[in-house]
């Protein structure tokens, strides 16, 4: 459901730091424990995340979104979508070289455990390869809304934006949901495909992290 007080649009390069701060705050109790398992990220690391976001907008065609409260002008949430499609105009499927090229593993941060970060990306990449093959798709990489603005429809609007683009392109929308976030995605038409689990207990966590892979 669309909240008329909120507006979703593409993030501007100069807004990358605001996006980074929201992402960091929302992920602090969850994904940050995987990304920065050795401690709170330094200013240098946060600057790197900001620059990666800015570079993704300007040079890599990554679709970063913002959700703005029109009454205050405040950015209250954001999302990162990526469209995996063939480079050749008119091609119906990606080449396997293009598929594999999309499975890069980023350099760890100073506060990362490199093995844990590699395990995370290997788990996600393996399942994308298995489930999607060389089909084109939109994937929701990140969706974050500040806690004080939850239950206003911002998350649904950020997700729906990408689903509409996927429908227009005639391709599937794909995501890995936490168990907490799964119900929202189901309301928006996503169907569970597979449950996956990342071994984080080996690295000192109280429990392993579980995700649900979903497709529209």
């Amino acid at each position: 459901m669309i909240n008329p007080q909120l507006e979703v649009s593409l993030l501007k390069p100069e807004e990358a730091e605001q996006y980074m701060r929201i992402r960091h705050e929302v992920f602090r109790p969850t994904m940050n424990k995987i990304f920065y398992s050795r401690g709170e990220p330094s200013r240098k690391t946060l600057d790197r995340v900001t620059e990666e976001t800015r570079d993704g907008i300007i040079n890599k065609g990554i679709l970063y979104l913002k959700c703005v409260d029109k009454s205050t002008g405040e950015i209250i949430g954001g999302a990162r979508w990526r469209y995996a499609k063939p480079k050749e105009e008119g091609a119906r499927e990606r080449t396997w070289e293009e598929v594999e090229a999309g499975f890069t593993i980023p350099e760890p941060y100073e506060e990362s455990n490199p093995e844990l970060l590699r395990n995370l990306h290997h788990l996600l990449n393996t399942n994308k390869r298995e489930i999607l093959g060389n089909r084109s798709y939109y994937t929701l990489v990140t969706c974050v809304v500040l806690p004080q603005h939850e239950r206003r429809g911002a998350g649904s609007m950020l997700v729906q934006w990408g689903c509409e683009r996927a429908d227009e392109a005639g391709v599937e929308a794909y995501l890995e949901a936490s168990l907490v976030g799964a119900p929202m995605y189901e309301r928006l038409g996503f169907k569970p495909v597979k449950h996956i689990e990342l071994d984080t207990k080996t690295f000192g966590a109280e429990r392993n992290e579980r995700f649900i892979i979903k497709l529209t």
Side-chain angles (χ1 to χ4, degrees):
M1 185 175 180
I2 295 177
N3 184 337
Q5 295 180 325
L6 305 180
E7 183 176 59
V8 168
S9 60
L10 291 171
L11 189 77
K12 298 176 181 177
E14 60 268 26
E15 296 168 328
E17 184 173 0
Q18 292 171 268
Y19 175 90
M20 177 277 293
R21 292 188 181 283
I22 293 171
R23 173 184 179 270
H24 178 69
E25 181 62 28
V26 175
F27 278 175
R28 187 186 298 274
T30 55
M31 293 302 292
N32 279 8
K33 294 180 179 180
I34 298 175
F35 297 143
Y36 316 120
S37 58
R38 291 178 169 169
E40 186 71 11
S42 66
R43 179 73 257 175
K44 177 183 176 182
T45 293
L46 295 178
D47 287 345
R48 175 185 156 187
V49 175
T50 298
E51 186 52 40
E52 288 170 347
T53 301
R54 187 179 294 116
D55 181 60
I57 295 170
I58 296 172
N59 298 314
K60 297 181 179 176
I62 297 174
L63 301 166
Y64 284 95
L65 303 178
K66 61 184 176 183
C67 184
V68 174
D69 184 330
K70 293 190 288 186
S71 67
T72 63
E74 179 189 4
I75 298 177
I76 65 169
R80 175 183 173 184
W81 281 92
R82 184 172 66 86
Y83 183 18
K85 62 178 181 177
K87 292 182 179 179
E88 182 182 344
E89 191 70 29
R92 299 187 63 180
E93 294 181 333
R94 297 175 295 153
T95 66
W96 283 105
E97 289 77 11
E98 290 171 341
V99 171
E100 295 302 323
F103 292 150
T104 57
I105 296 179
E107 284 293 316
Y109 303 104
E110 291 180 354
E111 300 81 11
S112 301
N113 182 305
E115 185 180 357
L116 176 58
L117 205 61
R118 280 195 302 271
N119 290 353
L120 170 66
H121 287 283
H122 177 72
L123 176 68
L124 302 183
N125 291 343
T126 297
N127 282 281
K128 280 192 179 76
R129 187 185 293 109
E130 173 191 317
I131 293 168
L132 294 162
N134 61 345
R135 303 196 301 277
S136 299
Y137 62 93
Y138 271 82
T139 181
L140 178 63
V141 182
T142 305
C143 182
V144 288
V145 177
L146 289 170
Q148 62 268 34
H149 292 285
E150 290 178 349
R151 302 188 182 281
R152 298 181 61 194
S156 295
M157 291 171 68
L158 290 163
V159 175
Q160 191 62 39
W161 185 96
C163 291
E164 290 172 358
R165 300 306 181 282
D167 288 343
E168 290 169 2
V171 301
E172 297 154 299
Y174 177 100
L175 58 85
E176 300 100 3
S178 67
L179 301 187
V180 173
M184 177 186 75
Y185 299 118
E186 290 177 8
R187 290 195 298 271
L188 293 171
F190 283 85
K191 304 296 182 185
V193 175
K194 185 177 182 181
H195 290 250
I196 58 175
E197 186 169 307
L198 176 68
D199 176 12
T200 50
K201 290 178 68 175
T202 299
F203 300 91
E206 294 182 1
R207 56 179 174 77
N208 290 340
E209 289 295 330
R210 293 189 293 160
F211 305 92
I212 305 174
I213 294 175
K214 293 179 176 285
L215 277 172
T216 56

